[in-house]
Amino acid sequence: MKIELQNVLPDEIEKRSFELISMELKEKGIVLPKENELVIKRAIHTSADFDYTENLVFSEHAVQKAMEAIRNGACIVTDTQMAKAGINKKILAKYGGEVLCFMSDEDVAIQAKKHGTTRATASIDKAITYQKPLIFAIGNAPTALVRLYELISEQKIKPQLIIGVPVGFVNVVESKELILQTDIPYIVARGRKGGSNIAAAICNAILYQMGDRDF
């Protein structure tokens, strides 16, 4: 079998990838909601998984509300260093925000051990002490979503947006469904799929719409 490679320059690879995604969506007869299109496409680009056309669910105007929050200096809290590393900090910094991850902090480890919880739970407890508007991008730990739900129910925190995309099997589906029951803006990947790469991709899709990228 003869294999033919596409002749694409390095700086054109991403653009070509999005062209191919758009072509395949058209072939499948899938029309994405304009407001959420770029977020969904970037999740597909990161994972090569077209199931995100159905899995990703958005509260009303979630993307617009997220951009408004970022313009007002919101910070993004993640549950993994991987997600933190993948988020475009330069665009966020233009508006006074930063990406935060408390999972490796010594005080978080101490509190988790003291209370018999996960570090993800303890990291959410630490995040609520941060005196800035917050967007949560959770791609790994369902316990982080559960703790967010508890704190929202207790009116101890009101995030600007929750990106709920943990991947896995134990309490993953259930934790996402809890977030859908709140009145907080959300972008959630229903089911088992997700991951830190998807959390970062969603953040970047929002940030790039605020910069000079349109794909």
Side-chain angles (χ1 to χ4, degrees):
M1 181 179 67
K2 185 178 179 181
I3 298 175
E4 295 185 6
L5 300 176
Q6 296 185 51
N7 185 20
V8 184
L9 296 175
D11 59 354
E12 295 178 348
I13 291 174
E14 186 178 61
K15 184 176 181 180
R16 179 57 178 155
S17 295
F18 277 88
E19 289 173 351
L20 292 170
I21 290 169
S22 296
M23 288 171 56
E24 188 161 339
L25 288 170
K26 186 175 181 180
E27 289 170 0
K28 293 175 182 291
I30 298 173
V31 179
L32 301 177
K34 195 66 180 176
E35 185 176 2
N36 305 327
E37 178 181 3
L38 298 181
V39 172
I40 298 169
K41 284 184 175 179
R42 190 154 286 277
I44 294 170
H45 175 257
T46 296
S47 62
D49 189 344
F50 281 81
D51 283 355
Y52 284 105
T53 60
E54 297 181 0
N55 296 349
L56 277 182
V57 293
F58 299 73
S59 63
E60 188 175 10
H61 304 313
V63 174
Q64 294 299 322
K65 290 176 181 177
M67 289 194 288
E68 182 179 349
I70 290 167
R71 290 190 184 99
N72 290 328
C75 293
I76 298 175
V77 178
T78 78
D79 63 332
T80 65
Q81 295 296 337
M82 178 182 172
K84 179 181 178 180
I87 296 171
N88 190 303
K89 300 164 189 63
K90 185 176 180 180
I91 297 175
L92 191 61
K94 282 173 55 178
Y95 301 97
E98 59 182 321
V99 184
L100 306 166
C101 180
F102 304 120
M103 293 289 287
S104 301
D105 292 5
E106 185 177 354
D107 58 336
V108 166
I110 291 171
Q111 288 301 312
K113 185 175 182 179
K114 178 180 178 182
H115 297 289
T117 67
T118 65
R119 287 194 181 198
T121 296
S123 71
I124 298 299
D125 288 332
K126 180 172 182 175
I128 68 172
T129 67
Y130 211 78
Q131 299 301 310
K132 291 196 76 171
L134 299 176
I135 291 171
F136 287 88
I138 308 301
N140 183 67
T143 54
L145 291 186
V146 173
R147 186 58 178 151
L148 279 170
Y149 174 79
E150 292 171 348
L151 292 170
I152 291 165
S153 298
E154 296 167 4
Q155 298 184 338
K156 292 181 179 178
I157 188 173
K158 190 172 183 179
Q160 303 299 302
L161 174 74
I162 297 175
I163 299 169
V165 293
V167 60
F169 298 91
V170 179
N171 289 331
V172 168
V173 174
E174 295 82 357
S175 67
K176 294 173 180 178
E177 294 299 317
L178 286 175
I179 297 304
L180 298 182
Q181 295 179 17
T182 71
D183 60 355
I184 301 298
Y186 61 75
I187 301 173
V188 169
R190 281 185 128 156
R192 294 172 171 174
K193 293 184 178 182
S196 297
N197 58 334
I198 299 298
I202 292 171
C203 290
N204 286 338
I206 294 167
L207 290 166
Y208 292 156
Q209 292 182 68
M210 303 176 68
D212 57 359
R213 301 176 65 163
D214 58 0
F215 57 86

